[in-house]
Amino acid sequence: MNLDRLRTLYAVARHGSVSGAAEGLHVTTSAVSQQLSKLERETGQQLLAKNGRGVRLTDAGRLLSDHAARILSQVELAQADLEAQRGHAVGELLLGAFPTAVRGLFPAALERMRSDHPQLRARLQEMEPDESVPAVVRGDIDLAVVLDWYNKPLPVPGGLVKAALLDDLVDVAMPADHPFADRCAVEPEDFVDDEWVSWPEGGFCYDWLMVTLRGKGIEPHIRHTAREHQTQLALIASGLGIGVIPRLGRGPVPEGVRMVPVSPPTMRRHVYAIWRADADRRPSIRAAVDVLRAVGEKVVD
């Protein structure tokens, strides 16, 4: 049985559809269908059956998909061992990271990877943790940079390895004419009566803000939401509320905004790299983590 066809079948099982498999494999849907038709001829079994407008795996398809998962894992182990035998980082490394890490960490990190490891071809995608963690589990990417908060851990599935990269402190952003704008430090309890600019409802960071403020007896008045920190800062600059803004990837602070540290400095995000345990011996993984840590140390200095 052809390894690429097994990989295609496994992708259909993971994504639940031919179109999802095609997107995950970066090929066309017709290419996926052709590979599966060839695999059915090779095995002499029907692997897919129509299910409404989509498809589902037959019993034989599920059985072979389970075997494919183990086979592909063994192939990855073999590749990791061969790369480890060579002793240096080579080949392609697929990376995912949340937006502020892409902006604040990766420009310098990718430049250093290219300089220190010229045979390593890194490719980066911007992805939120709820996208990148499953992508690592599925094998769509090799390594993800993710985050959690000091009081709200990010669940990490079994079979993954996690390495800390840096701690990202946050400040309270407020209009320059706010009564606390000239303070050296503030506490969340100072803002019981303020309106807030926050991340969109339902997101990991929004949920953290709600848990944190409510834990201090504050029911926050969320007036405006925006995904990007620069958009949040623009709203705050117009006097439309206050917000909590991490330092990583922050960029220039607009005129009319004051950033005041939180005291004590416990409000922080933990930034991690995660990868599959069966790829743990790959020098390219280790090289990327070392570079990200070194760049992260400079970012937080």
Side-chain angles (χ1 to χ4, degrees):
M1 287 176 283
N2 181 278
L3 189 63
D4 285 338
R5 290 167 199 153
L6 289 176
R7 185 175 285 110
T8 301
L9 177 67
Y10 183 52
V12 172
R14 289 196 326 260
H15 294 281
S17 68
V18 170
S19 59
E23 184 177 351
L25 295 169
H26 306 289
V27 298
T28 64
T29 54
S30 62
V32 170
S33 297
Q34 290 172 14
Q35 290 282 62
L36 293 174
S37 295
K38 291 178 181 178
L39 186 58
E40 286 184 328
R41 290 197 295 272
E42 286 178 347
T43 59
Q45 297 269 6
Q46 183 182 357
L47 304 175
L48 294 178
K50 289 187 178 297
N51 184 32
R53 295 185 178 180
V55 297
R56 61 173 177 81
L57 293 179
T58 63
D59 290 344
R62 287 195 296 270
L63 177 65
L64 185 55
S65 173
D66 290 342
H67 282 291
R70 292 189 290 272
I71 291 167
L72 294 171
S73 179
Q74 284 300 119
V75 169
E76 182 150 13
L77 282 170
Q79 292 171 334
D81 285 345
L82 286 172
E83 189 178 321
Q85 182 73 20
R86 282 183 252 179
H88 55 276
V90 298
E92 187 173 59
L93 188 68
L94 304 179
L95 306 164
F98 61 95
T100 49
V102 170
R103 184 167 60 248
L105 190 60
F106 271 91
L110 290 172
E111 182 181 16
R112 182 161 173 176
M113 285 183 207
R114 184 173 57 185
S115 173
D116 293 354
H117 307 284
Q119 293 181 282
L120 180 63
R121 301 185 306 278
R123 193 172 78 191
L124 173 65
Q125 300 177 62
E126 183 178 292
M127 311 171 76
E128 294 288 356
D130 61 351
E131 301 171 299
S132 62
V133 173
V136 172
V137 172
R138 293 192 305 263
D140 295 342
I141 60 175
D142 299 306
L143 182 147
V145 173
V146 299
L147 65 96
D148 63 18
W149 292 89
Y150 71 101
N151 58 347
K152 188 174 176 60
L154 177 72
V156 176
L160 299 185
V161 179
K162 183 170 74 170
L165 299 179
L166 62 100
D167 278 357
D168 183 21
L169 290 172
V170 303
D171 300 312
V172 177
M174 63 191 74
D177 60 358
H178 193 282
F180 301 151
D182 293 329
R183 284 194 180 183
C184 296
V186 292
E187 299 178 6
E189 293 88 340
D190 294 330
F191 303 100
V192 173
D193 298 322
D194 283 87
E195 294 183 339
W196 287 78
V197 177
S198 173
W199 300 272
E201 185 174 356
F204 185 75
C205 291
Y206 176 93
D207 291 344
W208 164 79
L209 184 63
M210 296 298 101
V211 168
T212 301
L213 295 180
R214 286 170 178 165
K216 296 180 179 294
I218 303 169
E219 185 58 39
H221 309 294
I222 305 297
R223 180 62 62 184
H224 307 287
T225 64
R227 294 186 184 279
E228 294 294 326
H229 293 153
Q230 288 302 314
T231 306
Q232 294 179 18
L233 287 170
L235 294 168
I236 294 167
S238 295
L240 299 174
I242 65 167
V244 173
I245 306 293
R247 295 180 184 179
L248 178 64
R250 178 184 295 170
V253 176
E255 289 188 18
V257 175
R258 296 290 182 270
M259 309 300 300
V260 183
V262 178
S263 179
T266 54
M267 295 179 69
R268 63 182 67 209
R269 307 190 298 180
H270 305 307
V271 181
Y272 300 95
I274 60 169
W275 61 93
R276 294 181 303 282
D278 54 16
D280 195 41
R281 294 188 62 197
R282 289 179 59 186
S284 56
I285 295 284
R286 294 297 176 183
V289 172
D290 288 345
V291 167
L292 288 165
R293 275 180 172 158
V295 171
E297 289 177 0
K298 294 181 180 179
V299 166
V300 298
D301 281 347

